[in-house]
Amino acid sequence: MAKLIIEPKKTKDGQIEYTVNYHDPKSDNSFTVTTTNDLNEAVSRLKSTLESEVQEILQKK
């Protein structure tokens, strides 16, 4: 099962940066979906990626 993760990190200038990562342990496929300092944008990208994954799973059945 693929995993979507939001990781907050503090940047050098004191801002919080959110990185949305995708990892599929079955295929060992990993990539960064987005990096942003806007939490709403990070959550939105995570949600759209998750919905896309669900649609792909449903189409395979």
Side-chain angles (χ1 to χ4, degrees):
M1 172 90 29
K3 297 178 184 180
L4 289 161
I5 303 162
I6 295 180
E7 296 179 289
K9 294 181 184 173
K10 192 172 187 178
T11 61
K12 292 179 182 178
D13 62 359
Q15 297 284 328
I16 299 296
E17 181 177 85
Y18 302 96
T19 303
V20 180
N21 292 308
Y22 172 95
H23 177 71
D24 183 357
K26 186 184 250 185
S27 66
D28 200 28
N29 184 17
S30 297
F31 59 90
T32 298
V33 175
T34 190
T35 301
T36 179
N37 61 358
D38 180 0
L39 178 58
N40 290 329
E41 181 182 345
V43 170
S44 175
R45 292 295 299 267
L46 182 135
K47 182 181 176 188
S48 67
T49 304
L50 178 60
E51 288 171 341
S52 152
E53 285 293 307
V54 169
Q55 287 303 315
E56 190 174 310
I57 290 169
L58 291 174
Q59 288 177 358
K60 287 182 179 178
K61 287 186 175 184

